[in-house]
Amino acid sequence: MRVLGTKFNVRSYNNDKTSEAALIRGKIELTVLKNPEKKIILNPSEKITVINNQELQLKSNTPTYKIAEETPLIALSRIHQAKKDTLPSEALWLENKLAFDAEDFENIAQKMERRYNVNIVFENEDVKKLRFTGKFQKESINKALLSLQKTAAFRYKIDTNQIVIY
């Protein structure tokens, strides 16, 4: 198999609730291993979000088949491209940027933990559900949290490598 001109990003971590594949250029075929006759074709500027524990295989440049819409654990959507960015938010990590678009604080915290090498603990379950859109590149963890705090009511304290959000 030869892949020509395909450019995509996959975000998949064992402890995340979801995994994503975002396609910038080319085509990707995804196959649900538990139901191999169902296939999904991703076209440029599309992304797929899968609730984890669903296993996928990625293949490029294959015939088009669409998965039935009755599958609730998979969502197809558009990637988020800001006009001034060279890449969509799903791939801005390639430019050392942390980007998120209407994501809940719990998911953003997981990304921040990886980026800043910290552990983030929520003492208030409601705060996990706060949604943010933003982008950080060179900001410290403190400056990033202060920026988020300007748009939502939450407090935090930093103790070495642990951050408690309440």
Side-chain angles (χ1 to χ4, degrees):
M1 172 168 57
R2 252 174 51 171
V3 177
L4 299 173
T6 300
K7 187 174 182 182
F8 63 96
N9 180 56
V10 174
R11 182 188 52 79
S12 182
Y13 293 94
N14 287 337
N15 56 349
D16 282 3
K17 291 179 182 177
T18 61
S19 296
E20 286 182 359
L23 182 63
I24 299 164
R25 184 176 56 235
K27 278 196 176 193
I28 299 175
E29 177 185 279
L30 299 108
T31 303
V32 179
L33 291 179
K34 293 180 181 177
N35 200 353
E37 70 278 358
K38 303 279 186 175
K39 299 186 186 312
I40 301 168
I41 298 295
L42 238 54
N43 293 301
S45 298
E46 292 180 337
K47 77 173 179 179
I48 188 163
T49 304
V50 178
I51 304 297
N52 280 341
N53 297 329
Q54 289 289 319
E55 298 171 340
L56 297 178
Q57 288 182 334
L58 298 176
K59 298 179 184 176
S60 292
N61 299 330
T62 55
T64 301
Y65 299 95
K66 297 281 183 181
I67 193 162
E69 289 186 16
E70 68 265 11
T71 309
L73 301 176
I74 299 173
L76 187 63
S77 61
R78 305 291 293 168
I79 59 176
H80 303 99
Q81 178 88 40
K83 290 181 181 173
K84 60 185 175 180
D85 288 323
T86 57
L87 293 169
S89 63
E90 291 84 358
L92 281 174
W93 64 270
L94 293 166
E95 296 178 352
N96 200 29
K97 295 177 183 173
L98 172 64
F100 39 93
D101 187 32
E103 281 189 56
D104 63 51
F105 204 176
E106 185 175 23
N107 288 341
I108 296 167
Q110 287 180 324
K111 291 177 180 181
M112 293 176 100
E113 285 178 331
R114 292 182 192 114
R115 179 180 182 94
Y116 296 107
N117 195 27
V118 295
N119 182 40
I120 298 177
V121 177
F122 287 90
E123 287 187 347
N124 181 336
E125 290 295 313
D126 291 336
V127 175
K128 287 181 177 182
K129 298 173 189 166
L130 294 173
R131 298 185 82 73
F132 297 97
T133 297
K135 180 175 20 178
F136 299 117
Q137 185 168 12
K138 296 178 183 177
E139 292 82 359
S140 67
I141 184 72
N142 190 48
K143 189 167 184 175
L145 287 169
L146 284 171
S147 295
L148 294 177
Q149 207 174 36
K150 289 179 182 178
T151 62
F154 71 90
R155 299 182 65 165
Y156 68 93
K157 58 185 173 187
I158 300 175
D159 183 18
T160 315
N161 285 350
Q162 179 159 319
I163 297 169
V164 178
I165 297 176
Y166 52 99

